[in-house]
Amino acid sequence: YAKKCGRNNYQFYNASLSMDALRRMAVENGLRKALGNGELELLYQPKVKMGSFEIIGAEALVRWTSSELGSVSPVEFIPVAEQSGLIIPIGDWILETACRQAKHWYDQGRHDVHVAVNLSAVQFRERDLAGRVMQVLSSVGLPPGCLDLELTESMLVDDAEETVAALNRLKKIGVTLSIDDFGTGYSSLSYLTRFPLDALKVDRAFVTGLPDDGDAVTMAKAIVSMAQNLGFKVVAEGIETERQNAFLHALGSDIGQGFLYSRPLPLSAFMALLKNGRPLFRNSPADTLRPR
Ligand code: C2E
Ligand code: MG
Ligand code: MG
Ligand code: MG
């Protein structure tokens, strides 16, 4: 019986492996055409002051609707783009589009609202990333202070000296630097004092259990107080409830992002939110909770 089970498992394993491989190939092939076919879009998720719910920025989040595969999550296609090298043209498109679109609201007078762009490790390792960022900003005409770059801990682990140099080159341009998914990267904390960082984005994993789960409370307190003592802004992501907002605000977290305030929105809807000037959620849950 055990033998039979084992063999079935083995066959099942094999079959699922090749399904994965086929899917991966389909994603990679689809991605090759995605830029040319205009299948990529950026959505904007507001970042708000936790006390007042005023919008102070937005994170650009890429969406892909493939003509063959339908909508594919960035959680699936970004790693494929990284492994295939396609992340270089796609990442360039994301950076340039986010800056160009942020210039739209900048030109409407919202100089106080930055755009945050996720960088992949492959882009970060590119020798002339800072030059590329500078070139995009100047061709678009967006002030560097309006661009925040989100990096992950895992990008900063190896070759500390080259990493410090790369971060310093970016800082010199005048952009701000945030650590995304903070607390999930298994890296040494010592990098926090060596690198010129502006903000920590506390991962949703530490927010979900608040305020009832004691372990989550302990972790959240430790992370927020450490970040504050080191002089970083704290952005809490994945805020879904008013209690999470209230709890983290009381701890001293400055900025929040999550479905409580707004889902990621198409550019036009995000600009409409900026235009009506109202703080999010309290006055207008209906127009911010549109599923997407
Ligand atoms: P991330 O940068 O940590 O982005 C936050 C993710 O959490 C987004 O998922 C967002 O839609 C989701 N989220 C925001 N608020 C809530 C909430 O209250 N509850 C829950 N459950 N989820 C929330 P998304 O858009 O699917 O992106 C997933 C990841 O894909 C991102 O994580 C980022 O690592 C990557 N990604 C997305 N866009 C880009 C991009 O333009 N470039 C690169 N390199 N990576 C990207
Ligand atoms: Mg991010
Ligand atoms: Mg994040
Ligand atoms: Mg995340």
Side-chain angles (χ1 to χ4, degrees):
Y1 179 73
K3 205 171 185 179
K4 194 174 158 207
C5 250
R7 203 170 66 211
N8 282 343
N9 280 340
Y10 177 72
Q11 283 170 349
F12 178 71
Y13 182 64
N14 252 345
S16 69
L17 248 192
S18 64
M19 289 287 283
D20 284 356
L22 283 175
R23 169 74 183 179
R24 201 197 163 285
M25 275 167 57
V27 168
E28 183 173 332
N29 286 332
L31 269 182
R32 287 185 194 287
K33 297 174 282 186
L35 268 184
N37 291 350
E39 295 172 355
L40 297 180
E41 184 193 6
L42 295 183
L43 298 187
Y44 293 89
Q45 186 175 36
K47 294 164 73 177
V48 308
K49 276 193 192 158
M50 286 191 128
S52 62
F53 288 26
E54 286 166 276
I55 299 173
I56 53 94
E59 178 174 5
L61 293 161
V62 67
R63 291 294 177 267
W64 176 30
T65 310
S66 157
S67 56
E68 283 140 22
L69 303 170
S71 129
V72 184
S73 160
V75 176
E76 180 177 11
F77 76 76
I78 293 287
V80 175
E82 288 176 337
Q83 286 152 25
S84 60
L86 288 165
I87 194 67
I88 295 302
I90 289 175
D92 277 352
W93 181 87
I94 290 170
L95 180 66
E96 200 170 318
T97 304
C99 290
R100 194 166 13 86
Q101 297 187 334
K103 176 77 158 100
H104 291 334
W105 69 73
Y106 184 87
D107 283 344
Q108 296 192 352
R110 295 309 300 263
H111 299 184
D112 53 332
V113 178
H114 68 262
V115 69
V117 173
N118 292 284
L119 283 189
S120 103
V122 179
Q123 289 172 282
F124 185 71
R125 282 195 300 268
E126 272 226 291
R127 197 63 189 74
D128 196 33
L129 174 64
R132 171 83 193 133
V133 169
M134 204 148 63
Q135 181 219 318
V136 168
L137 286 169
S138 71
S139 79
V140 163
L142 187 71
C146 293
L147 176 64
D148 181 76
L149 297 174
E150 294 193 6
L151 316 166
T152 59
E153 287 170 81
S154 54
M155 291 157 68
L156 309 181
V157 288
D158 40 45
D159 198 357
E161 240 160 70
E162 177 42 37
T163 302
V164 173
L167 292 172
N168 283 332
R169 286 195 294 272
L170 288 171
K171 277 301 288 184
K172 244 170 101 181
I173 299 171
V175 303
T176 56
L177 302 176
S178 298
I179 297 297
D180 202 359
D181 303 333
F182 181 74
T184 64
Y186 308 105
S187 68
S188 142
L189 289 175
S190 62
Y191 77 87
L192 289 177
T193 58
R194 288 205 312 268
F195 297 158
L197 305 170
D198 299 282
L200 298 187
K201 296 192 79 176
V202 180
D203 192 70
R204 171 156 49 92
F206 300 103
V207 173
T208 307
L210 298 177
D212 298 315
D213 172 359
D215 289 343
V217 168
T218 304
M219 294 300 293
K221 280 185 176 160
I223 292 173
V224 172
S225 98
M226 180 188 69
Q228 282 182 321
N229 288 325
L230 290 170
F232 301 126
K233 284 204 164 134
V234 184
V235 183
E237 59 181 16
I239 306 275
E240 295 183 350
T241 69
E242 291 188 74
R243 292 174 76 216
Q244 288 166 347
N245 175 80
F247 185 84
L248 282 158
H249 186 228
L251 278 189
S253 169
D254 314 291
I255 297 160
Q257 185 181 338
F259 295 168
L260 173 67
Y261 320 106
S262 173
R263 302 252 166 185
L265 300 170
L267 176 69
S268 57
F270 177 66
M271 300 245 325
L273 264 187
L274 286 181
K275 212 167 190 170
N276 77 28
R278 283 177 303 177
L280 284 177
F281 174 69
R282 275 179 189 157
N283 303 323
S284 57
D287 62 10
T288 62
L289 292 178
R290 211 147 55 85
R292 189 54 205 201

